[in-house]
Amino acid sequence: MKKLLKNSGSFATKTSCNNKLSTTPSRFFSTTQTTNKKTKAPFSRLEKGEYDITKLLKRLEIVKARLNRPLTLAEKILYGHLDDPENQEIIRGKSYLKLRPDRVAMQDATAQMAMLQFMSSGIPEVQVPSTIHCDHLIQAENGADQDLKKANDINKEVYNFLSTAAAKHGIGFWKPGSGIIHQIVLENYAFPGGLMIGTDSHTPNGGGLGMLAIGVGGADAVDVMAGIPWELKAPKIIGVHLKGKLNGWTAPKDVILKVAGELTVKGGTGAIVEYFGEGVESLSCTGMATICNMGAEIGATTSVFPYTAAMERYLRNTLRGSMADLANDNKEVFTADKGCEYDQVLEIDLSTLEPHLNGPFTPDLATPISKFAEELEKNGWPEKLSVGLIGSCTNSSYEDMTRSADIAKQLTKRGMKAKSEFLITPGSELVRSTIDRDGVLSDLEQVGGKCLANACGPCIGQWERKDVKRGEANSIVTSYNRNFTARNDGNAATHAFVTSPDIVTALVMAGSLKFNPLKDKLKAPNGEEFLLEPPKGLELPGKGFDTESVLKTFQSPPEDKAGLKVEVAPTSDRLQILAPFSPWDGKDYNDCPILIKVLGKCTTDHISMAGAWLKYRGHLDNISNNLLIGAINSENGKANCVKNQLTGEFGGVPDVARQYKAKGVKWIVIGDENYGEGSSREHAALEPRFLGGVAIITRSFARIHETNLKKQGMLPLTFKNPADYEKLEPSDRLSLHISNGQFQVGKPIRMTVKKQNGETFDIELNHTFNELQMEWFKAGSALNHIKNELAKSK
């Protein structure tokens, strides 16, 4: 085995791990042990049913006997949830695993389509514990109370649909104002060794409690809720060895900002990131959740930490003592085996790690704070800080808020206020009510902070921003996770930088991005020049969380569902009953025009924008009017301007797609690297399918988007030779030869390219379809295939 390389940021392959947490547990955990190990615990205090770890242990015993090697923590959890552990092929990076997740979580924007699909399956009740969370449809504008009231008014139809659909089908419903999905999952549902899927890309937040929590599209959620095994390509495992201890201004957020800079936005694709080493000891549970949450920005399937004493403390403080007891009695399961191997290892020394700011326009452009002022000047980024925003699903814990409040109090005692607008987004009502009770919120408000609703808000573009004009260059800093162009406020000229809440708070006090709190002084009104002291916070509230606040925002499914009706008005512009997609006719796709050849980065924000479009997430026809309107056309360098190859006229991308569809013309999209990175939104796959597209051909795909396209009956294909992207022109006609057995597992697809002058040549395209996924394609979608199989079983 190769040794761990000693330089921070360096890599080794197939590296053996020796996790100290697993060898000296008495140092970290409560020493109270029972003679007989605890094997069952309630899933949550809010729902019936128990978690039984014996199922995981039996599956692991079978897999370990088969593989005869030590396992990483991620492997233990994955293989402990196999549907058929005796016969499942298990090869990292190759095998498709059939898994049985413990639960499903859906946010309101993606839940609409997921529930419409589930309802069309004809299955009366979900087969695993599931929840819906209302967090995406609340726009930040005037403050928490006014914004929540407005959201309840304008989204009444959607909230009523989700509430009644949840009640009808046995799903827990978190009302608007309850908080952000990932924070609520961490507070109520995540547990060590669990496997869950969520219809949001930042579902991996649950890894902070030792859970494999994976972001998926709505169609995957339908599979699991229907009781069908969920399929995942066996991920490779990237190990991140943490040594040393965080100190001073460095926060858990800086760990993932550093990792993002090392691995880039696609470096984690097809892999689970697993943290280990003595440095893990210095992290709180919510700090670990922050790191796992933003792992989505490197394309990772998910991220996970081993079970620690911090996790036990968090479980007990959120009234899940029984789950903590179970974890303590089985903690050897929740750490990597000694001698296990990772496919790749990154080492980070927390003792020397600097605070980072990542951006603008991409979350992997990482700059340590000591070099940031220099980079700012060199690149001409706007120095003045317009707005600082803390909170969101990534950084809104009690610890985060108390550290920021500690900085604020240093200003208040000197009679100072923030020099930039300062916005605060609590992650949940549990956190908001607790920081309000404890005076933490008041400390932040005294320096000028404004508290927004417990919702995603500006992080996903739900921000009615009024301080700058569209197109005006400006800078903002956030403790969020994503900073693609125009994501936060719809303004492509906004330079958004991602950092920790500590650094955001310090920068808003100075009003300048050149300020470095580690060395630069502030000046008080009395002329005193002073250095800010490194922030100190509380991991958990001394008085405990205000847990009673949770009960006001949660709706349990009723025992008697007989009288419940779920209605969708045929005249609604927010909701639309889905019509099934047509099955494949068994023929080649011939002479397809290229709808758009995309130039450069194309995230799901480019394919299906959020912001104002969120209100149409339950209406496929209406939401399809935003198809690829943010993507840049290689032909002219413009967004939402493509040539109709039938008429020669230019129009918007969705307009031209509709024109092709009206003529019965199938079309194809050409994309570049890591196409579809970012959000898990399946609308980015539903829309091209709905408007007549048949294939998306790229140099490479982001994991979730590739799966979503397959689920909707599309062909996600990649150039066997990535340079072939350059050979295609927007005026070309493309033919995909897939009939008569030409489309097979593991074999390339032949595509004929026809130029305008009549010249033709062939290109080979790769695909990752397996046998089951080919059945989805033939049936027209995964949902069609499910319904076909259910019909056969009756």
Side-chain angles (χ1 to χ4, degrees), residues 138-182:
I138 303 169
Q139 187 176 53
E141 183 177 6
N142 298 309
D145 293 341
Q146 292 183 57
D147 293 346
L148 182 57
K149 183 179 184 303
K150 182 178 178 181
N152 276 314
D153 290 340
I154 64 176
N155 299 311
K156 183 177 180 180
E157 178 187 13
V158 171
Y159 291 151
N160 182 63
F161 165 73
L162 292 174
S163 173
T164 54
K168 182 76 172 175
H169 297 288
I171 298 171
F173 179 73
W174 289 87
K175 301 172 187 176
S178 59
I180 305 172
I181 177 174
H182 313 304

Side-chain angles (χ1 to χ4, degrees), residues 108-281:
D108 51 356
T110 50
Q112 296 170 61
M113 199 60 68
M115 289 310 300
L116 288 165
Q117 292 178 82
F118 182 78
M119 287 160 55
S120 71
S121 73
I123 298 170
E125 189 162 323
V126 295
Q127 303 300 296
V128 299
S130 303
T131 49
I132 292 172
H133 304 258
C134 295
D135 61 2
H136 270 57
L137 301 180
I138 303 169
Q139 187 176 53
E141 183 177 6
N142 298 309
D145 293 341
Q146 292 183 57
D147 293 346
L148 182 57
K149 183 179 184 303
K150 182 178 178 181
N152 276 314
D153 290 340
I154 64 176
N155 299 311
K156 183 177 180 180
E157 178 187 13
V158 171
Y159 291 151
N160 182 63
F161 165 73
L162 292 174
S163 173
T164 54
K168 182 76 172 175
H169 297 288
I171 298 171
F173 179 73
W174 289 87
K175 301 172 187 176
S178 59
I180 305 172
I181 177 174
H182 313 304
Q183 189 66 31
I184 290 177
V185 166
L186 195 74
E187 293 165 356
N188 297 280
Y189 302 117
F191 61 91
L195 175 65
M196 70 165 283
I197 62 169
T199 62
D200 189 278
S201 58
H202 294 108
T203 299
N205 194 77
L209 257 175
M211 183 181 220
L212 286 188
I214 301 174
V216 299
D220 280 336
V222 172
D223 283 358
V224 177
M225 291 190 295
I228 295 169
W230 174 60
E231 190 176 67
L232 177 72
K233 191 172 186 179
K236 293 187 176 182
I237 315 294
I238 298 174
V240 179
H241 179 208
L242 300 181
K243 66 179 196 176
K245 183 177 181 179
L246 289 176
N247 59 80
W249 282 90
T250 307
K253 182 67 162 284
D254 296 304
V255 175
I256 186 58
L257 294 175
K258 172 70 173 176
V259 170
E262 295 288 342
L263 293 178
T264 78
V265 291
K266 62 176 183 176
T269 302
I272 291 175
V273 179
E274 181 174 315
Y275 293 84
F276 67 96
E278 66 276 16
V280 171
E281 301 170 40

Side-chain angles (χ1 to χ4, degrees), residues 346-403:
L346 170 65
E347 184 174 277
I348 296 176
D349 185 350
L350 300 181
S351 300
T352 59
L353 180 65
E354 279 190 68
H356 278 62
L357 291 96
N358 286 26
F361 309 124
T362 185
D364 59 351
L365 181 58
T367 307
I369 197 164
S370 61
K371 297 179 181 178
F372 190 76
E374 178 186 341
E375 288 297 309
L376 185 84
E377 193 164 328
K378 182 172 74 175
N379 290 286
W381 300 331
E383 176 193 342
K384 179 186 175 183
L385 177 59
S386 298
V387 189
L389 307 96
I390 63 170
S392 86
C393 66
T394 318
N395 272 118
S396 58
S397 67
Y398 189 84
E399 181 180 38
D400 290 328
M401 293 299 170
T402 55
R403 284 174 66 94

Side-chain angles (χ1 to χ4, degrees), residues 429-653:
E429 178 57 18
L430 182 76
V431 169
R432 189 214 62 79
S433 61
T434 304
I435 63 173
D436 187 24
R437 180 199 68 192
D438 293 351
V440 178
L441 185 55
S442 175
D443 290 334
L444 295 169
E445 290 174 335
Q446 283 186 56
V447 293
K450 179 196 284 187
C451 186
L452 303 177
N454 308 323
C456 301
C459 185
I460 61 164
Q462 284 283 52
W463 184 14
E464 187 63 34
R465 190 178 179 192
K466 298 173 181 175
D467 63 300
V468 296
K469 296 178 181 177
R470 187 66 58 91
E472 180 182 343
N474 72 100
S475 290
I476 65 173
V477 289
T478 80
S479 68
Y480 302 164
N481 43 40
R482 198 165 280 165
N483 60 347
F484 299 137
T485 302
R487 176 174 174 87
N488 300 122
D489 60 1
N491 181 7
T494 293
H495 294 60
F497 299 90
V498 177
T499 186
S500 69
D502 307 347
I503 297 299
V504 173
T505 307
L507 291 176
V508 298
M509 302 309 162
S512 168
L513 286 180
K514 283 192 172 180
F515 179 68
N516 179 352
L518 282 73
K519 68 179 185 65
D520 297 336
K521 293 182 178 181
L522 293 172
K523 190 172 184 178
N526 65 2
E528 174 202 2
E529 292 190 350
F530 65 97
L531 273 175
L532 286 170
E533 295 177 9
K536 296 181 175 64
L538 297 173
E539 177 185 335
L540 296 162
K543 300 177 185 177
F545 284 108
D546 178 17
T547 52
E548 291 306 304
S549 62
V550 171
L551 304 178
K552 304 172 187 175
T553 61
F554 178 68
Q555 170 190 291
S556 297
E559 293 290 337
D560 182 9
K561 305 176 180 65
L564 288 172
K565 291 184 179 180
V566 184
E567 296 181 351
V568 176
T571 57
S572 173
D573 69 346
R574 299 288 301 271
L575 299 164
Q576 180 186 47
I577 296 295
L578 293 174
F581 292 130
S582 300
W584 177 49
D585 62 7
K587 299 177 182 178
D588 291 342
Y589 292 145
N590 289 317
D591 288 324
C592 300
I594 296 173
L595 176 66
I596 181 173
K597 181 183 177 184
V598 177
L599 180 66
K601 185 186 282 284
C602 190
T603 71
T604 48
D605 280 317
H606 294 89
I607 303 168
S608 177
M609 285 187 177
W613 289 95
L614 284 168
K615 65 182 179 181
Y616 296 125
R617 285 284 180 87
H619 197 294
L620 183 53
D621 197 356
N622 285 342
I623 193 71
S624 294
N625 288 323
N626 77 359
L627 173 66
L628 285 160
I629 62 175
I632 302 301
N633 182 5
S634 66
E635 185 174 16
N636 54 20
K638 296 180 180 179
N640 201 29
C641 183
V642 296
K643 182 185 286 186
N644 182 324
Q645 300 300 328
L646 303 180
T647 66
E649 297 178 352
F650 280 86
V653 180

Side-chain angles (χ1 to χ4, degrees), residues 289-309:
T290 290
I291 295 167
C292 292
N293 177 296
M294 199 175 159
E297 302 341 306
I298 60 171
T301 300
T302 192
S303 302
V304 69
F305 276 85
Y307 182 59
T308 69

